[in-house]
């Protein structure tokens, strides 16, 4: 049962009913869902949570939609893996990866979209829509299919093929816009004013955003009801980052976990780092940028929740970190080679950011660190395709195999990097 009680303006604190609203009429501040924490405190226990389903709906009491009517394709309850190999590489003794590649459409967006879709249907919308940097498109198209709704999905035209196919397969109306994500988002805001559609990340954004809190709840539960010392999270609009923090604080307010001072660090690609840029200048004034990075899922130049992400960085004592595209690729390879996890570019941003922060001593060796890996690598193959060792090409004979293996070993012993261009010359 949901204990959501009202919407509240994050700026002036005015209250609104639980309706499809997203901005304050008085100050234009963003609205956020508030809960009856007193009632929650009386009813919500660890045991009650542990009896729930192995999806985000396990935490239905803390979500703003009716779980009995959930549009559910199984989002959530993804693995939290202790990562000794990667930890050793980075100099961290207690490192965990929260692997959200394991969601139904292979990214954390399923968490927010299952909540948004459920709420949109509750409100009576028959069309689900979004402005997407890629992963959201996949998740909205899938949940609309499951929920029997029309889907209208807007993406920037230069998106990776894996993300285009990963949305188109569910049969939405897919609209590729010649422009950046920020331009797609502006267009969709205009359309949301004009048509009666549920844009999950625009007019029902307050409900959508709450789905991200489940990442925090799961991590706390999977650690045996303990909060991490340090979280490192990728930043696009900044929403995910602020909601992980909200989720950890709620667990503490409700007495489900002892208060640990969790530091929240955020990572962005250097080619689109307006939040980290402001943090570095100790400013709360975000200067919009024109994105230029391979981490397209994080390519938001004008981040809607950037200001609130900066507040969380400040309050929690975390760090901002921006990494180059080359470091992103190295991060993807490191995570795959050390732990067997093939993450998308956003995961590369997190691993590369973690390497920086651990290397400069910003994160201590004994801290319990959770790295949030938010999307799967098969969707962004373009980023690594020509940076991997190609297969050995052989005839179907033992001798051909042995010759090829010997050749490869010689090349490696001679210190050559084995790259596709090289293999083609053979
Ligand atoms: C959308 C997305 C994020 C972050 O999103 P916010 O807008 O900051 O909430 C992070 N990683 C991946 C893979 C995403 O698709
Ligand atoms: Zn207000």
């Amino acid at each position: 049962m949901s204990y959501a009680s009202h919407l509240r303006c994050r700026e002036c604190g005015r209250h609104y009913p639980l309706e499809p609203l997203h901005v304050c009429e008085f100050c234009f501040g963003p609205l956020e869902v508030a809960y009856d924490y007193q009632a929650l405190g009386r009813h919500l226990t660890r045991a009650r949570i542990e009896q729930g389903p192995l999806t985000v709906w396990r935490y239905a009491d803390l979500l703003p939609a009716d779980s009995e009517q959930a549009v559910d394709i199984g989002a959530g309850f993804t693995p939290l893996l202790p990562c000794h190999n990667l930890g050793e590489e980075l100099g961290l003794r207690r490192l965990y990866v929260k692997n959200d590649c394991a969601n139904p459409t292979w990214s954390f967006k399923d968490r927010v979209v299952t909540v948004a879709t459920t709420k949109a249907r509750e409100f009576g919308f028959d069309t689900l829509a979004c402005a997407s940097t890629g992963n959201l498109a996949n998740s909205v198209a899938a949940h609309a299919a499951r929920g029997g709704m029309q889907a209208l999905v807007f993406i920037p035209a230069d998106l990776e093929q894996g993300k285009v196919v990963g949305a188109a397969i569910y049969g939405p109306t897919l609209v590729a816009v010649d422009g950046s994500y920020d331009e797609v988002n502006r267009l969709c805001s205009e359309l949301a004013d004009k048509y009666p559609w549920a844009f999950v990340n625009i007019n029902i954004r307050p409900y959508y955003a709450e789905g991200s809190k489940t990442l925090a709840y799961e991590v706390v539960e999977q650690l045996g009801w303990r909060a991490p010392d340090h979280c490192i999270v990728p930043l696009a609009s900044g929403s995910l980052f602020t909601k992980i923090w909200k989720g950890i604080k709620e667990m503490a307010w409700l007495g489900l976990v002892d208060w640990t001072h969790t530091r929240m660090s955020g990572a962005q690609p250097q080619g689109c780092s307006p939040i980290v840029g402001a943090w570095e200048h100790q400013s709360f004034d975000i200067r919009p940028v024109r994105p230029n990075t391979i981490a397209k899922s994080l390519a938001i130049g004008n981040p809607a929740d950037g200001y609130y992400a900066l507040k969380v960085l400040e309050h929690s004592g975390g760090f901002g970190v921006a990494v180059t595209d080359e470091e992103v690729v190295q991060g993807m390879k490191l995570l795959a080679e050390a732990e067997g996890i093939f993450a998308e570019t956003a995961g590369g941003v997190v691993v590369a950011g973690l390497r920086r922060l651990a290397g400069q001593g910003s994160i201590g060796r004994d801290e319990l660190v959770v790295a949030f890996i938010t999307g799967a690598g098969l969707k962004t193959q373009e980023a690594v395709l020509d940076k991997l060792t190609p297969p050995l090409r052989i005839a179907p004979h033992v001798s051909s195999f042995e010759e090829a293996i010997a050749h490869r070993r010689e090349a490696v012993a001679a210190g050559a990097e084995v790259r596709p261009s090289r293999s083609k010359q053979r």
Side-chain angles (χ1 to χ4, degrees):
M1 161 187 169
S2 172
Y3 286 83
S5 52
H6 57 277
L7 296 174
R8 186 177 170 279
C9 174
R10 275 160 131 183
E11 290 303 316
C12 73
R14 274 196 174 77
H15 289 197
Y16 292 86
L18 293 168
E19 280 168 15
L21 304 168
H22 65 118
V23 281
C24 177
E25 282 173 25
F26 293 87
C27 75
F28 302 106
L31 304 182
E32 182 172 46
V33 178
Y35 297 81
D36 181 351
Y37 289 112
Q38 284 197 340
L40 268 169
R42 284 195 301 274
H43 294 113
L44 189 58
T45 59
R46 292 177 182 179
R48 179 174 159 87
I49 290 171
E50 284 163 356
Q51 282 158 16
L54 292 174
T55 69
V56 298
W57 295 101
R58 185 179 186 79
Y59 309 101
D61 295 339
L62 290 154
L63 296 174
D66 177 8
S67 60
E68 305 276 307
Q69 306 297 323
V71 180
D72 182 10
I73 60 173
F77 229 75
T78 56
L80 179 73
L81 298 168
C83 287
H84 301 297
N85 303 333
L86 182 62
E88 199 160 306
E89 185 72 30
L90 304 182
L92 297 170
R93 283 189 49 244
R94 295 193 293 161
L95 172 63
Y96 291 80
V97 160
K98 180 62 171 166
N99 184 9
D100 250 16
C101 306
N103 274 305
T105 74
W106 308 286
S107 87
F108 100 92
K109 290 297 196 297
D110 290 328
R111 297 176 182 276
V112 281
V113 175
T114 185
V115 175
T117 310
T118 301
K119 199 67 195 176
R121 238 181 27 174
E122 243 175 68
F123 284 139
F125 286 102
D126 59 13
T127 300
L128 200 64
C130 69
S132 175
T133 57
N135 287 313
L136 188 57
N138 297 198
S139 190
V140 162
H143 282 87
R146 175 82 167 179
M149 301 173 79
Q150 300 291 317
L152 249 171
V153 168
F154 295 81
I155 53 173
D158 70 348
L159 212 56
E160 299 98 337
Q161 179 159 308
K163 286 180 182 162
V164 176
V165 174
I169 189 68
Y170 307 106
T173 301
L174 191 55
V175 185
V177 181
D178 287 315
S180 67
Y181 169 81
D182 297 285
E183 289 166 308
V184 176
N185 191 43
R186 199 172 333 117
L187 166 67
C188 288
S189 296
E190 283 178 47
L191 292 172
D193 283 341
K194 195 163 175 198
Y195 295 97
W197 300 331
F199 275 89
V200 297
N201 55 337
I202 300 173
N203 52 332
I204 52 173
R205 187 173 179 87
Y207 306 94
Y208 156 96
E210 291 293 289
S212 290
K213 297 189 306 182
T214 59
L215 265 167
Y217 306 151
E218 285 176 22
V219 164
V220 164
E221 186 179 347
Q222 288 169 317
L223 286 173
W225 300 103
R226 183 204 193 288
D229 297 323
H230 210 128
C231 293
I232 178 154
V233 180
L235 304 164
S237 72
S239 174
L240 167 66
F241 184 73
T242 63
K243 295 294 176 170
I244 290 175
W245 173 242
K246 181 178 179 185
I248 293 175
K249 282 195 306 186
E250 284 178 334
M251 296 268 101
W253 291 336
L254 294 169
L256 295 167
V257 66
D258 291 334
W259 176 247
T260 315
H261 190 92
T262 304
R263 282 196 285 168
M264 297 289 300
S265 288
Q268 293 196 294
Q270 223 162 64
C272 182
S273 51
I275 302 174
V276 173
W279 180 82
E280 281 168 347
H281 289 98
Q282 298 177 332
S283 159
F284 285 92
D285 185 20
I286 303 234
R287 301 256 168 88
V289 300
R290 200 157 188 37
N292 178 18
T293 170
I294 58 169
K296 293 178 197 265
S297 55
L298 304 181
I300 299 184
N302 189 11
D305 289 287
Y307 171 77
Y308 301 101
L310 287 167
K311 286 276 176 201
V312 171
L313 279 163
E314 187 192 40
H315 286 147
S316 75
F319 301 88
V321 61
V323 298
T324 64
D325 281 359
E326 203 183 314
E327 289 177 283
V328 172
V329 172
Q330 286 166 5
M332 290 170 76
K333 290 175 73 174
L334 177 57
L335 180 61
E337 290 175 13
E339 301 293 350
I341 298 169
F342 182 16
E344 70 144 83
T345 44
V349 170
V350 166
V351 173
L354 188 57
R355 159 162 261 169
R356 276 271 199 93
L357 295 180
Q360 74 199 29
S362 301
I363 300 182
R365 198 177 159 69
D366 292 316
E367 287 188 55
L368 195 163
V369 180
V370 177
F372 289 81
I373 301 300
T374 47
L378 280 176
K379 291 202 231 180
T380 62
Q381 294 181 42
E382 293 87 341
V384 289
L385 202 56
D386 63 355
K387 304 205 168 59
L388 304 176
T389 306
L392 293 168
R393 187 78 186 266
I394 64 165
H397 308 298
V398 171
S399 60
S400 178
F401 166 71
E402 288 174 347
E403 196 182 306
I405 274 280
H407 200 275
R408 170 75 51 95
R409 285 196 182 127
E410 271 168 37
V412 171
E417 272 199 79
V418 187
R419 288 281 178 263
S421 54
R422 204 184 140 82
S423 71
K424 272 182 217 138
Q425 289 161 11
R426 276 201 206 121

